Each structure stands twice: as C-alpha cells, then as structure tokens.
Amino acid sequence: MAKLNIILGIAELQANSAGMKPIMSDNIVDGETIDVTTVSDQPSITCLKPDQVWMLTAIDNPVWVKFGRNPSAVVGDSILLMPGIPYSFSATPGFTLAAIKE
C-alpha cells in the first residue's frame, strides 16, 4: 500500500500586491493522509475557494493523481508523484483529487 499526504492551504499574497507567490502560507485549510491502493479513490478534501493550493507528498511509494470535480486517477495517464517530494498545485474551486498506485 502507498500513502499520500494531502494539504490544502492558502496561496500567499505578495506584500506589494504584485500577485501570487508560488508558495503556501502557514494558514492550512484542511489536511489528510490517505491509503492509496490500485483502485482510484478520492479524499474527503475539496477546494472551496479561489487562491487555495494543494501540497501533496507521496509517503512511501509513487502515486498517480488527477484533479477534477469527480476525477478518476489512471496509472500512466495522471500526474506521477515520486515519494518524499512535496508537490504544490494551484487548486480550482469545486475540485478534489483522485489517487492510485501501480
């Protein structure tokens, strides 16, 4: 089995209002660690507001993820996350993610 740590946070604004920084603030909206199997599954977390960001870390094995309103991750046809590396993605309101392992 593989594990995926999921953090949904707020993208931090620059002090001079020049736009978004490519980082997550320490204001965490939600978080969950899920067991990932060979069947695509979704966590309970959904992005509800603009300016949110996902931080995903595969804990012990590679994991494939896909974002959407009701996504289904497919091995080889989704985003591959290698273990131990935190990946950040902008989050779309109404979207969640699905994860699957090989």
Side-chain angles (χ1 to χ4, degrees), residues 31-97:
E32 181 177 357
T33 299
I34 62 170
D35 292 324
V36 181
T37 67
T38 55
V39 176
S40 180
D41 198 14
Q42 298 175 8
S44 62
I45 302 172
T46 299
C47 172
L48 299 176
K49 297 181 179 181
D51 302 334
Q52 291 183 337
V53 64
W54 299 103
M55 184 186 310
L56 308 176
T57 307
I59 303 298
D60 47 10
N61 289 295
V63 173
W64 297 85
V65 298
K66 186 169 187 175
F67 299 98
R69 294 199 187 283
N70 188 20
S72 181
V74 176
V75 172
D77 191 27
S78 299
I79 301 168
L80 177 61
L81 307 180
M82 298 307 293
I85 302 169
Y87 294 85
S88 294
F89 301 92
S90 61
T92 302
F95 277 27
T96 187
L97 64 100

Side-chain angles (χ1 to χ4, degrees), residues 11-12 14 20-24 53 88:
E12 192 170 83
Q14 292 183 0
M20 302 302 292
K21 289 183 181 178
I23 60 170
M24 181 188 307
V53 64
S88 294

